[in-house]
Amino acid sequence: MAQGFDFAFLAEVLIGGLLSGVMYSLVAIGFVLIYKTSGVLNFAQGAQLLFAALTFVSLVERGLPFVLALGITFALMVALGLAIERTVLRPLVNQPPITLFMATLGLSYVIEGVAQLVWGTQVHSLELGVADEPIEFAGVLVSTFDLFAAGVAALMVIALSAFFRYTRVGLAFRAVADDTFAALAVGLRLPVIWATVWSAAGVIALVAGLLWGARLGVQFSLSLVVLKALPVLVLGGFDSILGAIVGGLLIGALEKLAEVYLGPYVGGGIESWFAYAAALLFLLVRPGGLFGQRLVERA
């Protein structure tokens, strides 16, 4: 007699994928914030993530208390975001998008080089005080660390959403994102908004860097985590925070389901490319993403 389908195992796989997807969403939101206000696809986000994780773990290894190391790293990431906006973005305002993209690409190598000069190239183990042990809910096993990471990422997303929805700076950000020229006409100061957004992107890189660093280890390949955000942005839309959240959950779930249920038939490593294949197919059907704004051209 054939065995029935194991729905409990499916639930484990799906929940694990969704929890990973929340972390993908956090990285993608860093891209969305910059893109919405300045039209720049910030490829340096991965280098910022690496710099944050490497700075924090290096300070802790040198004997600094956890909270003090976190505070110093937080201040450095805000300062780094402000420096990028002031020295790279502002001088290149109104330049073609490809110029801005290449500037952030070059900046990513500069940040990684500085990190290597300051902290070295060795691999570090990052502990956040949360054991990666399975716990059981209604017969479904879930990773403790995945729950913790997803909870932190979710709180970060909620805090950012509240900030940009209810604060004065957040409302100004939304105004600039909706219509830059109208925002200028009513007296909003773009440099201040850009500086705030780049600072927020630095903080996001700090949180994402610590979570991914604890999961994968702090090494220079950690900067490649941002590549996971690209299919998320394709699905959700490059200019939508909600799209980054939904896209992250979808990619996380699809990636894990493909790894478990398709991997045995197509060979190992499917989790490394399935998300990009899914994003490519989706791109052919809906180029703007699920929540991206549609560009309307008038003759």
Side-chain angles (χ1 to χ4, degrees):
M1 182 174 178
Q3 293 184 343
F5 187 79
D6 192 344
F7 287 99
F9 179 68
L10 172 62
E12 288 181 20
V13 173
L14 191 58
I15 291 172
L18 291 173
L19 294 178
S20 295
V22 176
M23 293 176 64
Y24 293 161
S25 296
L26 184 61
V27 178
I29 286 175
F31 279 96
V32 171
L33 291 180
I34 302 301
Y35 187 81
K36 279 179 71 70
T37 53
S38 57
V40 179
L41 184 61
N42 179 28
F43 204 79
Q45 185 77 11
Q48 290 177 266
L49 185 152
L50 168 66
F51 186 84
L54 193 56
T55 299
F56 173 80
V57 74
S58 298
L59 291 174
V60 169
E61 289 177 351
R62 283 163 172 75
L64 268 69
F66 184 97
V67 175
L68 180 58
L70 185 63
I72 293 173
T73 308
F74 178 90
L76 284 175
M77 294 310 298
V78 171
L80 179 61
L82 291 172
I84 292 173
E85 186 280 327
R86 185 66 182 88
T87 61
V88 178
L89 177 64
R90 199 177 301 184
L92 294 176
V93 168
N94 298 324
Q95 294 298 315
I98 186 62
T99 300
L100 294 168
F101 172 74
M102 292 304 296
T104 63
L105 181 60
L107 182 64
S108 68
Y109 287 101
V110 171
I111 294 174
E112 288 188 19
V114 171
Q116 180 175 336
L117 286 173
V118 175
W119 305 119
T121 59
Q122 64 270 27
V123 178
H124 301 264
S125 175
L126 175 57
E127 297 291 339
L128 296 179
V130 180
D132 191 7
E133 299 176 350
I135 56 176
E136 184 174 344
F137 289 105
V140 176
L141 294 176
V142 182
S143 166
T144 305
F145 180 80
D146 283 351
L147 280 175
F148 167 77
V152 172
L155 287 175
M156 188 73 179
V157 169
I158 293 171
L160 286 170
S161 299
F163 175 80
F164 288 112
R165 180 174 292 273
Y166 299 112
T167 67
R168 188 172 181 178
V169 174
L171 293 174
F173 162 80
R174 293 169 62 193
V176 171
D178 290 337
D179 193 325
T180 302
F181 294 106
L184 286 172
V186 298
L188 295 180
R189 298 175 60 191
L190 283 183
V192 173
I193 296 170
W194 285 337
T196 303
V197 170
W198 277 91
S199 299
V203 174
I204 292 172
L206 167 61
V207 176
L210 295 185
L211 294 178
W212 281 105
R215 170 181 277 187
L216 304 177
V218 180
Q219 51 194 316
F220 277 79
S221 62
L222 190 63
S223 63
L224 299 179
V225 166
V226 297
L227 297 179
K228 288 289 188 179
L230 297 182
V232 172
L233 295 169
V234 170
L235 262 68
F238 281 80
D239 53 5
S240 172
I241 292 178
L242 176 61
I245 297 170
V246 174
L249 294 175
L250 286 174
I251 289 296
L254 290 173
E255 189 177 73
K256 189 62 69 173
L257 289 171
E259 177 186 354
V260 173
Y261 290 104
L262 297 181
Y265 301 101
V266 300
I270 188 174
E271 68 276 8
S272 65
W273 58 263
F274 183 82
Y276 300 96
L280 178 59
L281 292 175
F282 189 84
L283 191 64
L284 297 175
V285 177
R286 191 179 176 90
L290 290 171
F291 300 94
Q293 295 181 357
R294 293 185 177 182
L295 296 177
V296 178
E297 295 184 0
R298 295 182 175 85

